[in-house]
Amino acid sequence: MTVREAHMTEAEKMMANEENLLNEKVTLNDWFESGMTTEDYIDSMKINKKDMLHVYETFALTEEDRAFFTQLQAQQLRVIALTADWCGDAMLSVPILMHIADTAAMDIRLLVRDKNLELMDQYLTNGTSRSIPIFIFIDESGDEQAVWGPRAPEVQQLIDDLRTTIPAEDDPTYEEKQREMYRTFKARILSDESLWRAVSRSLQERLQPLI
């Protein structure tokens, strides 16, 4: 203990400890280690578990896709996935990532967005939106190699088209139309396998430079 520390009040000591914690840089390795395995994440789900497993169990990579993602095994990548059980986009994209990770020998750790805002705020969409999922690919040293999310272009186009059906916020039918839009969106991403392929293709394009 230093002379200064010996004369500090408890409140001053608490402030000093908080300052020290803030000054300690949390690395992507630290975030990875704090995440859930896919098994633990699925076990924790209460909203979209059944639908996410439907996508996982129905989707399969093509032979061409498997050949591509197998090439990534040598990179020994790991993935941090910022996600949430309630999120329809995560319900679609996380199971696609799981298939890719199995083929590419990538370890995945999942972090719930609202419990990990310090990391989330480093990966805002357009610098403002906490959109998820966000997949952060890191190497053995914990250095970021690629980032993907929150949507494949085709999925973004779908949501943009659906939003044109929603009236202005002061319209009395606004809330009803918004709920209807989200129901339609969820139904499409659960049944339209071309959107599943679009997610896989988008991830492949993002990871291509690493091969």
Side-chain angles (χ1 to χ4, degrees):
M1 180 182 292
T2 65
V3 173
R4 177 175 177 270
E5 289 171 337
H7 291 86
M8 289 171 67
T9 66
E10 285 302 314
E12 288 172 333
K13 289 178 183 178
M14 288 179 64
M15 290 179 65
N17 286 337
E18 290 175 2
E19 185 177 345
N20 288 337
L21 287 172
L22 289 171
N23 289 334
E24 291 178 5
K25 181 175 175 59
V26 181
T27 68
L28 288 174
N29 268 334
D30 295 329
W31 287 111
F32 179 86
E33 293 299 332
S34 69
M36 290 182 282
T37 63
T38 53
E39 293 82 1
D40 287 341
Y41 176 70
I42 291 169
D43 286 345
S44 75
M45 296 179 72
K46 294 179 173 60
I47 301 171
N48 282 322
K49 180 176 181 177
K50 179 181 177 181
D51 290 333
M52 194 187 87
L53 289 175
H54 163 73
V55 176
Y56 179 74
E57 291 164 2
T58 309
F59 176 78
L61 294 170
T62 66
E63 286 303 314
E64 183 178 291
D65 291 340
R66 292 182 64 82
F68 171 83
F69 290 117
T70 297
Q71 296 177 78
L72 288 168
Q73 291 181 3
Q75 309 301 322
Q76 296 185 292
L77 297 172
R78 295 170 292 158
V79 194
I80 302 167
L82 282 159
T83 185
D85 182 9
W86 51 260
C87 176
D89 284 294
M91 178 191 72
L92 165 65
S93 299
V94 167
I96 308 299
L97 174 68
M98 290 165 60
H99 278 281
I100 290 170
D102 285 344
T103 303
M106 299 179 194
D107 229 355
I108 305 174
R109 292 295 183 273
L110 298 106
L111 296 169
V112 175
R113 183 194 71 175
D114 292 347
K115 294 181 179 179
N116 297 277
L117 293 179
E118 183 181 345
L119 179 62
M120 179 72 256
D121 287 348
Q122 297 175 44
Y123 292 92
L124 299 175
T125 299
N126 299 324
T128 58
S129 176
R130 290 171 172 167
S131 299
I132 51 175
I134 297 292
F135 302 151
I136 307 161
F137 297 84
I138 61 175
D139 61 18
E140 284 185 287
S141 300
D143 294 323
E144 177 191 300
Q145 296 300 309
V147 178
W148 183 93
R151 295 184 177 119
E154 294 86 344
V155 180
Q156 184 62 53
Q157 186 61 56
L158 169 62
I159 200 72
D160 288 345
D161 291 344
L162 289 172
R163 281 176 177 153
T164 64
T165 66
I166 300 178
E169 289 189 28
D170 58 357
D171 188 293
T173 66
Y174 171 78
E175 291 187 3
E176 177 188 346
K177 292 293 186 182
Q178 186 179 53
R179 287 192 295 269
E180 183 180 327
M181 182 204 76
Y182 284 125
R183 285 194 297 268
T184 301
F185 177 66
K186 184 174 181 179
R188 281 288 303 276
I189 62 177
L190 274 175
S191 61
D192 189 342
E193 296 190 18
S194 71
L195 296 176
W196 305 356
R197 296 286 168 209
V199 172
S200 177
R201 185 166 57 250
S202 180
L203 277 158
Q204 183 171 329
E205 290 169 357
R206 184 57 53 92
L207 295 171
Q208 174 71 56
L210 302 184
I211 294 179

